[in-house]
Amino acid sequence: MTDRISQLADAAIEVVADHGMRGLTHRAVDTRAGVPQGSTSAYFRTRKALVEGLVQRLADVEAAEIDANRLNPAAHDGPPDLDQLADGIAALLDHWLTAGRSRSLARFACLLEATHHPELRTILAHGDRPRAQARALMALAGSADPDRDGRAVVAFVDGLLFDRLAGGGAATAPVPGTPESRAQLRHAIRAAVAGVLAG
């Protein structure tokens, strides 16, 4: 993405995080980005193109953050250590609950939007990469069924993230960004991954 496209996509993410998908308009993105009116429509001609642009931006940033936490299978020469894996996922989730909170909210909003609008279903394909990485990590960890176990781990992580953002966990869990929050996330993730690998 060019710098201007990234700037507009980031602004679109913030609009969706604050106002939901109904609040996503070219004008709202122009305002949030602090650019002249009409700028967003020059890069994203339709609302569908705008949604696809922000989802692509979400996918690109998420992929970079996954790699930064050593959750890319290519970063491992052999079987990943379960404790290190839990540490990496917990750190990533904690980041998505704090500095990346707007992106997390926008991602869930986009997924929900796509379930009601068939023309946006292609955006769901952006989740293929994390699932493929989870499948490869489970294979490295010795899973008897990496495809099944990779899907289970991704579903658990997504569920945990959603619970902390919008579910009951948002009110009862430790404050995100604290050692207590990371420790609780790590415990839950380690138990889940260990359980998945145990069959």
Side-chain angles (χ1 to χ4, degrees):
M1 283 188 174
T2 67
D3 288 344
R4 176 49 63 93
I5 291 175
S6 295
Q7 177 193 12
L8 295 174
D10 286 339
I13 288 167
E14 294 294 332
V15 168
V16 172
D18 289 347
H19 306 290
M21 292 300 291
R22 289 185 178 181
L24 181 65
T25 64
H26 290 83
R27 181 178 293 275
V29 175
D30 287 337
T31 300
R32 179 59 64 95
V35 298
Q37 291 297 315
S39 298
T40 300
S41 62
Y43 289 90
F44 303 104
R45 300 299 299 172
T46 64
R47 187 173 188 278
K48 180 175 184 268
L50 180 57
V51 172
E52 289 175 340
L54 82 86
V55 171
Q56 184 62 59
R57 178 66 170 162
L58 288 171
D60 291 345
V61 174
E62 182 178 89
E65 291 171 342
I66 287 171
D67 290 351
N69 284 279
R70 288 186 46 81
L71 298 173
N72 187 327
H76 299 272
D77 296 327
D81 177 80
L82 183 56
D83 288 325
Q84 290 178 345
L85 198 57
D87 285 342
I89 297 173
L92 184 61
L93 275 180
D94 198 56
H95 174 73
W96 286 346
L97 288 166
T98 52
R101 185 175 188 275
S102 290
R103 289 195 307 275
S104 299
L105 289 169
R107 182 166 70 88
F108 284 122
C110 288
L111 290 172
L112 289 171
E113 178 89 347
T115 64
H116 299 294
H117 298 279
E119 72 275 13
L120 297 177
R121 293 291 172 88
T122 55
I123 71 174
L124 296 173
H126 287 294
D128 290 347
R129 180 176 177 182
R131 282 188 288 274
Q133 290 178 317
R135 181 169 58 247
L137 280 173
M138 292 301 98
L140 283 173
S143 166
D145 190 339
D147 188 54
R148 176 200 65 199
D149 293 345
R151 286 196 313 271
V153 169
V154 169
F156 177 80
V157 169
D158 267 352
L160 186 56
L161 178 61
F162 186 84
D163 181 62
R164 293 293 179 91
L165 283 170
T172 59
V175 175
T178 62
E180 293 79 13
S181 175
R182 287 188 292 274
Q184 194 177 90
L185 289 168
R186 182 186 179 281
H187 173 77
I189 292 160
R190 192 187 189 288
V193 174
V196 164
L197 289 173

